[in-house]
Amino acid sequence: MQNKLLCYKQYHKRNKHRIAPFCGLLLAALCGFTGCGTEHNEAVTSISFSQDDSTGQFAADDGHTITIGFAQVGEESDWRRTNSDSVRNTFTTDRGYNLLFEDAQNDPDAQVSAVSRFIQQGVDYIVLEPIVKTGWDKVLGDVQKAGIPVIVADRQLTLEDDSLYTAWVGSDPELEGDKVCAWLHALAEKRGLDESQFRIGIIQGTIGSSPQIGREKALREAASDYGWSIVGSERGEFTQAKGREAMDALLEKYPDLNIVYCDNDNEAYGAIEALEAAGKTIGTDINNGEIMIVAFDAAKKALSYVRKGLIACDGECNPFLGPEIEKVILALEEGKSVEKIRYVDEGIYAGNQEIHSVIVDGKTYPVTQVTQDLLEKRVY
Ligand code: GYE
């Protein structure tokens, strides 16, 4: 990510959402030569996959069982529960796996301990969805000494030595943030809104987690590019209950805020409760007193809120990582090399049809309008 941004910023210091397509091509070419694209300077691919857990044939064709230690974050959100189901549905006994599932309940120390226990238990693979980015060097050094491959999924981490994990698969939270911010800017342009009147409150996810860091970085950069005011931030911990408390605190401190940037859907559900209880009107008409909410994940319930106009725009974050993790494990089982970094493709959703697409880093992303048909077909 560092390299991507460095590379990008040399060419597009401002207006990153509106760069001309040829610049994107130039950038892509340069990135190809310089290895831009990840904070790890490794090969990157982007994968798209659908809203389900369709898995290939089962793993241990030769009858041996593969033991996987899975260090999960917690149960804080709809996203997380779906992600846990995806992993559980993929690594079943029937399919040749013994899954040791450890839920750290959002405690980074407990998660480090869980990974240490996996070493004692002699697992074949460790799958880690790190709560926070930092603090992994020591325990992953121990894992490497024990010769256990580590697959990092969902959230990103920062290590002194990237050889401490074999592969990473997940989302690019900064790109998710860039897309939502590009949508806000596009809406302002389309409606002729004065962006210096954007007064944004942030409801932050778990501090130090890569989605909190990435999504907030995108917002702060966009705010500086377009003259938006960020009035303040409160911690929402990615949960509905804390999201509600955070919204109450924001309203108390900044009664004139007109946009709420929620780091996930569950926080948005809490924010909606708080705003409704305070008698506020939620919507995109911020010039006439409405408060606009944007969020991330695009869970089914959130998309029903998008359709109702309660969430204006929702950046998708895909939780169906089980099959993607399995692909890595099966390749390693066959002695094949695996790509170090694989981003999953993700969309962006809005309730109105005003903005058809947004451009980030020279790439166009369609904005999907949430229809009743889409909602009925949505699994998560
Ligand atoms: O956005 C949030 C969850 O790490 C991408 O964690 C994930 C985030 C997701 O609790 O809902």
Side-chain angles (χ1 to χ4, degrees), residues 127-144:
V127 177
L128 168 63
E129 302 202 354
I131 299 169
V132 287
K133 277 183 115 169
T134 54
W136 293 105
D137 297 275
K138 164 81 177 70
V139 74
L140 292 189
D142 295 344
V143 172
Q144 189 173 60

Side-chain angles (χ1 to χ4, degrees), residues 113-355:
S113 302
V115 171
S116 287
R117 275 197 300 281
F118 291 148
I119 304 175
Q120 309 311 319
Q121 289 163 316
V123 300
D124 298 309
Y125 296 91
I126 291 175
V127 177
L128 168 63
E129 302 202 354
I131 299 169
V132 287
K133 277 183 115 169
T134 54
W136 293 105
D137 297 275
K138 164 81 177 70
V139 74
L140 292 189
D142 295 344
V143 172
Q144 189 173 60
K145 278 183 212 130
I148 303 170
V150 174
I151 295 135
V152 183
D154 163 25
R155 297 184 182 174
Q156 296 150 319
L157 39 62
T158 308
L159 292 168
E160 301 226 326
D161 172 7
D162 283 333
S163 79
L164 295 181
Y165 67 95
T166 305
W168 176 90
V169 58
S171 309
D172 182 341
E174 193 177 338
L175 176 60
E176 293 165 354
D178 284 342
K179 287 191 275 190
V180 167
C181 291
W183 184 88
L184 281 169
H185 176 62
L187 186 76
E189 289 214 314
K190 184 100 182 186
R191 292 191 182 172
L193 299 176
D194 175 359
E195 290 177 77
S196 72
Q197 296 306 306
F198 277 17
R199 292 182 294 278
I200 304 171
I202 309 174
I203 301 186
Q204 296 166 308
T206 303
I207 301 296
S209 68
S210 67
Q212 179 268 320
I213 293 170
R215 291 167 188 165
E216 189 164 327
K217 184 167 192 280
L219 176 65
R220 291 195 181 276
E221 286 183 0
S224 123
D225 285 349
Y226 302 125
W228 306 343
S229 298
I230 297 176
V231 293
S233 59
E234 291 288 331
R235 296 178 179 200
E237 310 286 353
F238 290 126
T239 70
Q240 181 164 345
K242 292 278 180 203
R244 182 174 179 156
E245 283 173 29
M247 189 69 247
D248 280 334
L250 285 171
L251 276 179
E252 171 99 22
K253 291 184 196 164
Y254 318 103
D256 65 344
L257 66 74
N258 51 21
I259 298 175
V260 189
Y261 187 89
C262 299
D263 270 346
N264 81 343
D265 286 340
N266 292 78
E267 291 176 348
Y269 306 155
I272 290 166
E273 283 174 1
L275 288 167
E276 286 180 342
K280 303 286 180 190
T281 312
I282 300 168
T284 55
D285 194 3
I286 57 174
N287 278 350
N288 288 304
E290 291 189 339
I291 296 182
M292 172 155 56
I293 297 177
V294 296
F296 296 92
D297 286 353
K300 185 171 179 146
K301 177 174 166 182
L303 291 188
S304 75
Y305 285 5
V306 171
R307 185 152 166 74
K308 285 188 204 150
L310 293 171
I311 297 175
C313 175
D314 206 326
E316 185 175 40
C317 185
N318 203 324
F320 293 98
L321 298 178
E324 298 308 313
I325 297 164
E326 186 186 39
K327 279 181 202 155
V328 175
I329 289 175
L330 292 183
L332 294 172
E333 283 290 298
E334 287 175 24
K336 292 182 185 157
S337 62
V338 293
E339 267 141 344
K340 186 92 177 178
I341 305 283
R342 301 205 305 157
Y343 288 113
V344 295
D345 279 345
E346 296 168 327
I348 172 169
Y349 294 85
N352 61 38
Q353 278 184 307
E354 283 165 274
I355 312 299

Side-chain angles (χ1 to χ4, degrees), residues 27-94:
L27 185 66
L30 280 167
C31 287
F33 286 113
T34 60
C36 300
T38 80
E39 57 190 20
H40 310 293
N41 216 4
E42 299 280 351
V44 181
T45 53
S46 177
I47 41 176
S48 31
F49 55 96
S50 61
Q51 272 238 319
D52 63 33
D53 273 340
S54 33
T55 40
Q57 66 190 86
F58 78 88
D61 281 337
D62 61 0
H64 84 280
T65 297
I66 300 172
T67 299
I68 296 169
F70 177 55
Q72 178 58 296
V73 169
E75 284 189 286
E76 71 284 0
S77 63
D78 296 359
W79 190 100
R80 186 65 53 199
R81 284 184 282 276
T82 306
N83 174 254
S84 290
D85 287 347
S86 174
V87 170
R88 285 198 178 101
N89 294 339
T90 303
F91 299 108
T92 60
T93 316
D94 288 357

